[in-house]
Amino acid sequence: RQIETALESTDLMPADVLFIENVGNLICPTTYDLGEDCKIALLSVTEGDDKPIKYPAIFSRADITVITKRDLLPYVPFDLETVKDHISSLNPSGVILVVSSMTGEGIDLWCDLIASRFEAKQQS
C-alpha cells in the first residue's frame, strides 16, 4: 500500500523503470510482496562470501543477483566462484551479474538486462 500511495502522490512520469530499494538486511525483502516484476538481490563483495548460505531465502527468490564492487576482490576475502555456485544451487534459473561501478565492468550487461526485462514487460 505504501508503494501504491507513493506512486499516486508523486509525479514520476514518464518513468519506464522504478527501483524499490529495501534498505537494511537480506531477510526482509523475501517476506514482503511489493508488486515487483523482478526481484533483485545486491551482494557487495565487502559483505562477505557467506551471505548466500546465511540468507538463502533472498538468493533463492531473486530473479537477478548483482554482485557489486568487483574491483575490490583483490583486497577482500571473497570467493567469487563459490558464491556463484551457492547462488546457482539455490536458484538455478536466476541470473548472476558481477559489476563494478568504479571500472564499469558488467554495467553494460546490467543495463541491457534491465532493458530487455522492460521490453518483455511492454510486450506482455
Side-chain angles (χ1 to χ4, degrees), residues 38-82:
C38 180
K39 188 175 288 294
I40 301 166
L42 300 176
L43 173 60
S44 167
V45 301
T46 59
E47 293 178 85
D49 55 12
D50 62 332
K51 298 308 178 268
I53 299 303
K54 193 172 180 180
Y55 303 105
I58 185 63
F59 295 100
S60 66
R61 290 180 178 90
D63 301 291
I64 303 167
T65 296
V66 182
I67 300 172
T68 67
K69 301 183 183 179
R70 194 245 180 272
D71 51 290
L72 295 178
L73 279 173
Y75 311 106
V76 295
F78 189 93
D79 187 334
L80 181 60
E81 293 310 312
T82 299

Side-chain angles (χ1 to χ4, degrees), residues 3-4 11 13 29 32 40 42 52 55 60 64 68 77 81 83-84 86 90 102-103 105 109-110 117:
I3 302 297
E4 186 176 30
D11 185 19
M13 298 307 149
Y32 299 108
I40 301 166
L42 300 176
Y55 303 105
S60 66
I64 303 167
T68 67
E81 293 310 312
V83 168
K84 286 178 170 182
H86 286 152
L90 291 167
M102 280 296 277
T103 67
E105 180 182 350
L109 286 171
W110 171 230
R117 294 283 175 125

Side-chain angles (χ1 to χ4, degrees), residues 7 25 56 67 74-75 97:
L7 288 172
N25 59 44
I67 300 172
Y75 311 106
L97 296 174

